[in-house]
Amino acid sequence: MKRLSTVTLWGIYSVWRRHAKVYQKTWLVNFLAPLSEPLVYLVAFGYGLTPLVGEVTYTGETISYREFIAPGMMGIALLFQSFFEAAYGSYIRLSYQKNWQALLTAPLSFSEVFLGEWFWAATKGVIAGTLTGVIAILLGLYQVWHLLLSIPIIILGGLTFAAFGLLTAGTVRTVDQINVPIFLFIIPMFTLCGTYFPRETLPSTIETIASILPLAALIDLLRWPLGVPRWWLMALLWLLFWMFLLVVAAAKKIYPRLID
C-alpha cells in the first residue's frame, strides 16, 4: 500500500474502472431498476393522484402535480442508487469479498481506493438520476436543457448520498445493521423532504427537521425550472456541507478497519 497522502488520477480511475467493468457484465439488469422505478412512480403517483390533487402551488406558481413530482423522482433515484451501492456494495467488498484489502496490495493508497469507491457509487446515482430525467423529458415534464443544466446538481447529490452510504458501510458490523440508517434517515427523507408534496403542508416542527436533511436541498435545487427557491445559494452550500461532513466521517470510519 502506498502512503495515505498519495493520490493520483490514474489510481482513482483504476478502482472506478474495476467496478465499471463488473457493472458492464450485467448492464441490462443494472439498467432495469433506474428505468422502471421512476417510470412506475411517475405513472402511479403522477397519473393516479393528479385527478385527486389537481394542481400544486410552488414558489407562487401553479403547476400540475406531475410536473411537481418529476424532479422529486430524480432525487429519489439518486438517493437510492448511490446510497445502496455504497452501503451494501462497499460493505460486501470491504467485509466479505475483501476487495478493498486486495486493491491495497497493489500500488494504490487508501485515499485512491476510497475515492474510487466513492466516485463509483456516485456514478450509479448520476446514471439513475439522469435516466429518470430522460423519462421525465419523454413524458413532457422536464426540458432537455433543464436536464443538461441540472447535471452539476445531480453529480453533487450522487456524491453526497454515496458518502452517506460509505459512512454506513464503515460503521455497521453486520449487513443487517444497514437497515438502521435506512429506517432512521433514508425512509424519512424519501417521504418527508418534499418529494410528493410541498414541505409547507407539514407541521412546523416536522417541516424544519425535513428541511435540514440533504434530500430537501437537492430536490429544491432540481426544481429550479419550476421556480428558483429564494434560498437557493444557502441550499447549495448546505448540500456541499453535508457532502464534506459525510465523506470525511466515512474515511475516518473505514481507514481503521483496513489497518487493524
Side-chain angles (χ1 to χ4, degrees), residues 57-161:
T57 300
Y58 181 73
T59 62
E61 300 290 334
T62 301
I63 57 176
S64 72
Y65 184 64
R66 286 193 296 271
E67 289 178 291
F68 178 79
I69 66 169
M73 294 302 99
M74 294 166 62
I76 290 298
L78 264 172
L79 168 67
F80 283 176
Q81 290 295 318
S82 52
F83 173 81
F84 285 115
E85 170 62 26
Y88 282 103
S90 295
Y91 177 79
I92 290 170
R93 288 190 287 271
L94 178 67
S95 300
Y96 293 108
Q97 297 177 345
K98 305 295 183 184
N99 292 121
W100 288 67
Q101 292 83 344
L103 288 167
L104 289 174
T105 62
L108 294 168
S109 68
F110 167 78
S111 299
E112 290 168 332
V113 175
F114 179 86
L115 291 173
E117 286 275 345
W118 183 32
F119 292 161
W120 170 245
T123 299
K124 288 194 70 172
V126 170
I127 292 172
T130 305
L131 286 175
T132 308
V134 171
I135 292 173
I137 291 170
L138 295 175
L139 294 175
L141 305 174
Y142 220 65
Q143 300 297 318
V144 174
W145 67 279
H146 291 162
L147 180 59
L148 293 175
L149 292 178
S150 297
I151 292 297
I153 303 171
I154 292 174
I155 293 172
L156 177 58
L159 289 170
T160 301
F161 297 124

Side-chain angles (χ1 to χ4, degrees), residues 41-42 45-47 64-74 195-197 223 226:
Y41 287 151
L42 282 170
F45 292 107
Y47 291 94
S64 72
Y65 184 64
R66 286 193 296 271
E67 289 178 291
F68 178 79
I69 66 169
M73 294 302 99
M74 294 166 62
T195 310
Y196 299 107
F197 49 81
R223 283 204 176 108
L226 305 177

Side-chain angles (χ1 to χ4, degrees), residues 32 37 49 81 109 123 135 147 156 158 169 176 180 193 211 248:
L32 185 61
E37 282 185 4
L49 292 179
Q81 290 295 318
S109 68
T123 299
I135 292 173
L147 180 59
L156 177 58
D176 291 334
V180 176
C193 283
S211 299
V248 170

Side-chain angles (χ1 to χ4, degrees), residues 205-225:
T205 302
I206 299 177
E207 179 192 352
T208 301
I209 295 172
S211 299
I212 292 172
L213 299 172
L215 185 63
L218 175 67
I219 291 177
D220 287 348
L221 292 171
L222 287 173
R223 283 204 176 108
W224 69 267

